[in-house]
């Protein structure tokens, strides 16, 4: 199953990204600090989504149309009093084939699973709003993840799995590099 192969292959990349995200989250002291952290998510998701959408197969179109996306992050930034300016630099991996799009989307969709933990961490820091993005699909997050993994497992042929895995690895690396790029300023 592709989703399990990607999960295993990207374990180190996932941990590295998570370390960078948590480091930034621990520095949050107020809503504007949180909005600045969200700018990293917004910049990366906003840039990646266009490339992913252009390469996705029609079989994923209905799923993709209903997924949580960069607009949810933008809404949170504005709600927190931030602006969609002074975004970090983003360098994306190559996303030009169906398999690369699926590998990259695995990383973006997988971020839903950590959302509830991030919300709890932020609430302990006194942040009580700006959770449209990290709440994912609410009570339906597990169902949406299962739907997504079923689709990608059926969509990618076994001999094409490595291309999706490589794209997921590159997506984690690029997302981590985004978190290490220049600081944003409210």
């Amino acid at each position: 199953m592709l989703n399990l192969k990607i999960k295993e292959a990207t374990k180190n990349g996932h941990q590295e990204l998570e370390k960078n995200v948590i480091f930034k989250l621990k520095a949050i002291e107020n809503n504007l600090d949180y909005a600045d952290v969200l700018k990293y998510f917004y910049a990366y998701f906003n840039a990646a989504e266009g490339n992913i959408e252009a390469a996705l197969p029609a079989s994923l179109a209905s799923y993709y149309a209903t997924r949580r996306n960069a607009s949810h992050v933008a809404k949170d930034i504005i709600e927190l009093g931030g602006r969609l300016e002074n975004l970090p630099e983003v360098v994306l991996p190559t996303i030009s084939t169906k398999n690369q799009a699926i590998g990259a989307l695995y990383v973006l969709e997988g971020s839903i699973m950590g959302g509830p933990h991030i919300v709890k961490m932020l609430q302990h820091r006194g942040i009580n709003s700006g959770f449209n993005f990290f709440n994912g699909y609410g009570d339906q997050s597990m169902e949406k993840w299962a739907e997504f993994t079923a689709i990608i497992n059926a969509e990618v042929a076994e001999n094409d799995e490595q291309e999706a895995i490589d794209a997921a690895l590159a997506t984690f690396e690029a997302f981590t590099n985004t978190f290490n790029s220049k600081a944003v300023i409210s």
Side-chain angles (χ1 to χ4, degrees):
M1 300 184 76
L2 177 61
N3 69 303
L4 298 177
K5 290 177 183 178
I6 292 176
K7 181 179 181 179
E8 182 60 31
T10 61
K11 191 178 292 183
N12 290 338
H14 181 220
Q15 289 172 343
E16 184 65 24
L17 174 60
E18 193 173 80
K19 182 176 74 175
N20 281 272
V21 170
I22 290 173
F23 176 78
K24 291 205 182 296
L25 291 174
K26 286 184 174 181
I28 292 173
E29 295 181 7
N30 56 51
N31 283 358
L32 288 178
D33 289 347
Y34 176 36
D36 279 349
V37 171
L38 285 174
K39 288 181 181 184
Y40 290 92
F41 285 91
Y42 177 74
Y44 193 80
F45 273 64
N46 193 46
E49 287 169 351
N51 292 355
I52 291 169
E53 185 173 19
L56 274 181
S59 59
L60 276 152
S62 64
Y63 178 86
Y64 194 80
T66 63
R67 65 175 283 281
R68 170 204 63 157
N69 58 47
S71 71
H72 293 84
V73 188
K75 182 177 179 181
D76 287 337
I77 292 169
I78 301 302
E79 181 179 314
L80 293 163
R83 297 183 308 204
L84 299 176
E85 300 172 349
N86 303 315
L87 299 175
E89 296 175 33
V90 175
V91 177
L92 295 174
T94 300
I95 305 170
S96 59
T97 69
K98 168 190 87 166
N99 299 323
Q100 290 169 336
I102 286 171
L105 189 56
Y106 173 92
V107 176
L108 272 58
E109 286 298 277
S111 67
I112 294 164
M113 306 314 284
H117 303 291
I118 291 173
V119 169
K120 285 181 185 173
M121 178 186 272
L122 291 167
Q123 287 173 331
H124 282 107
R125 300 192 73 73
I127 306 296
N128 295 306
S129 61
F131 302 137
N132 294 293
F133 179 71
F134 287 125
N135 278 333
Y137 304 109
D139 294 341
Q140 296 180 335
S141 290
M142 291 300 290
E143 293 167 30
K144 289 290 277 184
W145 179 247
E147 176 188 358
F148 173 72
T149 57
I151 292 169
I152 68 168
N153 288 338
E155 186 66 43
V156 179
E158 190 172 344
N159 60 338
D160 290 332
E161 288 179 341
Q162 193 60 50
E163 184 179 20
I165 292 167
D166 290 345
L169 285 164
T171 302
F172 269 117
E173 182 179 347
F175 202 5
T176 299
N177 289 341
T178 299
F179 270 90
N180 290 325
S181 69
K182 72 173 183 72
V184 293
I185 302 169
S186 296

